[in-house]
Amino acid sequence: MASRHLIGLLLATEEDWPTAFETLLARLGPITWRGATHELTTERIVHEPFDLRYTPRHQLIIDRLAWWYEVPREWLKKLALMDEVYLLNNPFTFQAMEKHSAYCAMMRLGIKVPNTWLIPHKLPPDNPRYVQMAERYSPDFDLDYVAEQVGYPLYMKPFDGGMWVGVTRIESSEELHRAYEESGERLMHLQAAVDDFEVFTRSLSIGPQTKVMQYDPSAHGHYRYSVDAEFLEPELHWEVETIGRLVNAFFRWEFNSCEVIVKDGEAFPIDYANASPDMAMVSLHYHFPWAIQALVAWCAFCAVSGRSMRVNQNTRDYFEVADDPTLPYEEKLRRYRRLADTYFQADAFEEFRAEALPNLEELTVEYVESSDFDDLILHAVQLEVEPENQEKLIERSRSACGAWAADRRAATV
């Protein structure tokens, strides 16, 4: 008799990648690993009252919601602490380790994060004790002095933000003060800009799988990712890939994106705490099938192998590398990479994929070439794109995903 594994999808408004994930998993059917048969099924999760002592049915949950909605966040914490349900991502670190903490941690590890300062809120918290406290311990500060320490041009951005909300490029004192006035109750960073760069990258990591993509943040949201596969020298590609995996392994994140700017042959990470990374077909286009295939593979491995949920971090292992004065930067990266590969069981995952999922890519190609996938394109674009732009995005999605399928077929000839 086959072992059954239920994967829960904790969603907001997305329809494209969840449908693709569900469909590909169904097409995959039962899988065999180490002589045993396993069936993987899915369920979209609804939000209901729950007994803290109830036993969940799910073995693994993909979380796309709890970073902003408290009901599922607290439910996931219960599952992690009491039931050891496997979670993508860890709800404890994604609540506590927002972008500010992620900057601090990577600076601690010696990664080349641009100069960054945190500044107090423009509007204080609504708390009756604030005024008395501020009179004693919150003196006025010189905003221009802070900006001078960071250096112009710079960016003002929320310490815990996402989706480019509240991000402002600043090139003068006048712009600085205007942006600060408009920041209101948000707690903000000032971070040095990395201008005149060669390449802007965004990496999507799912477990030990990383796709490094060339990215244009100034373009429209549906046109930011490039298809070009050879935009970095191999050594830099490895470094950018390693930084993404290091971030994830350090914080116990398994489904995350990382933005790294490359300038003068150096990699500068600027944004790498994204609890709900971009998975939309209309933005990823060519890279969308890879993302779905990678997500299916990692979820299958975690569920079937019984991979244990890690709540606690092993920060000391990383700090010992960071604090060794005899190690050059390149050697530290290599050691961080080994720590990350160990955490993600990279070798065991590859062995599992070869034995249990030998036809996964072929199935993904067949799905992308099917009428079911074309129906998904139509539905996704009609759901997410304004009517006047739908026809253009439908053809673009068809062309880009079709090109991916053709490239994968050519690679196996």
Side-chain angles (χ1 to χ4, degrees), residues 79-118:
L79 300 187
L81 288 173
M82 299 181 68
D83 309 295
E84 296 189 7
V85 175
Y86 203 85
L87 307 176
L88 279 63
N89 285 300
N90 185 321
F92 297 96
T93 55
F94 251 127
Q95 183 176 356
M97 305 292 186
E98 67 315 82
K99 294 182 187 295
H100 173 79
S101 300
Y103 286 146
C104 294
M106 292 303 106
M107 289 178 180
R108 174 76 167 80
L109 297 185
I111 306 301
K112 302 170 185 176
V113 179
N115 194 19
T116 307
W117 281 56
L118 184 138

Side-chain angles (χ1 to χ4, degrees), residues 200-214:
F200 194 118
T201 74
R202 177 178 276 183
S203 305
L204 177 61
S205 288
I206 302 173
Q209 308 157 103
T210 302
K211 171 67 71 173
V212 180
M213 299 165 282
Q214 190 169 8

Side-chain angles (χ1 to χ4, degrees), residues 41-61:
T41 58
T42 63
E43 177 182 80
R44 298 193 182 192
I45 296 168
V46 296
H47 316 300
E48 300 175 316
F50 61 92
D51 179 351
L52 271 62
R53 288 191 172 90
Y54 96 99
T55 301
R57 296 176 296 110
H58 305 91
Q59 186 168 349
L60 181 147
I61 293 172

